[in-house]
Amino acid sequence: MRFIKAILTWQRTLILSIGVLLLLNVFSFYGLYTNKFYFFKIDNYIFPILSIVHFVFLYVLWFKIKENELSDPPMRTLEYVLYFISFVYLYKLVDTILKLMSYADFENHLIPTTFLPLGYFMLGLYALLLLVTILAISYRKQIVGTYRFDDMNQHVDHWK
């Protein structure tokens, strides 16, 4: 983990997260088997809607680090929702793996030539998204602090 954190600082992690999320939002409308984009399927909008929470978490993390602020209950709630969304990311990763493994089942059918390259690219993006999500949460714990609110008022200087 130290090696990864040496390469991906918190700024690079935030930038990479935004780039990966934007690419996966576009690919959520893409059909691997047909090589077409489907904008009228409701299922394709689930990932972009859930990624809004991830974008908000990244913004809050950036703001807390830049302003040198402590964590607060809304940030904790946002992170807990991000834990749930991470399971959706894991589901999409496994779903992409299963689609790529089904390639041999459809050898006799007409499959686009972009199936494997784009499938592997999407697989790499989902794996990278899980990695940068874990890294962002790790940086939150390291830089912003933990979610201990019991003794929060003990560190406030009441004389200022």
Side-chain angles (χ1 to χ4, degrees):
M1 193 69 155
R2 286 185 189 179
F3 177 72
I4 294 173
K5 281 190 172 184
I7 295 173
L8 293 175
T9 62
W10 70 268
Q11 294 102 340
R12 290 179 185 161
T13 301
L14 293 180
I15 292 169
L16 189 61
S17 297
I18 291 169
V20 169
L21 280 170
L22 289 175
L23 281 172
L24 286 174
N25 281 338
V26 171
F27 281 123
S28 70
F29 297 101
Y30 180 74
L32 267 177
Y33 292 117
T34 59
N35 196 24
K36 293 181 182 176
F37 285 90
Y38 297 98
F39 295 106
F40 296 114
K41 286 178 64 180
I42 300 298
D43 299 349
N44 294 344
Y45 288 93
I46 293 172
F47 186 86
I49 289 171
L50 291 178
S51 70
I52 292 171
V53 175
H54 200 138
F55 281 121
V56 171
F57 176 78
L58 293 174
Y59 171 74
V60 169
L61 179 65
W62 171 80
F63 183 79
K64 296 282 185 185
I65 291 173
K66 281 293 187 186
E67 297 296 323
N68 200 16
E69 290 187 6
L70 296 174
S71 58
D72 53 6
M75 185 179 186
R76 176 183 61 188
T77 304
L78 196 60
E79 185 173 327
Y80 289 164
V81 172
L82 188 61
Y83 290 156
F84 169 73
I85 292 174
S86 295
F87 286 116
V88 175
Y89 296 162
L90 185 64
Y91 167 76
K92 295 292 279 183
L93 177 75
V94 171
D95 184 47
T96 306
I97 290 171
L98 292 176
K99 283 181 185 177
L100 288 172
M101 289 175 54
S102 71
Y103 181 74
D105 298 340
F106 298 108
E107 282 181 334
N108 296 332
H109 300 286
L110 184 62
I111 293 180
T113 57
T114 59
F115 180 81
L116 287 177
L118 281 178
Y120 287 132
F121 182 66
M122 289 171 57
L123 181 70
L125 285 176
Y126 282 120
L128 188 60
L129 182 62
L130 282 171
L131 174 72
V132 294
T133 302
I134 292 168
L135 272 177
I137 292 169
S138 171
Y139 280 126
R140 191 272 312 155
K141 290 178 184 176
Q142 179 183 352
I143 299 172
V144 178
T146 60
Y147 292 128
R148 281 190 239 144
F149 302 118
D150 296 339
D151 61 340
M152 183 181 257
N153 292 330
Q154 303 297 326
H155 303 290
V156 176
D157 187 8
H158 297 289
W159 293 100
K160 286 187 179 185

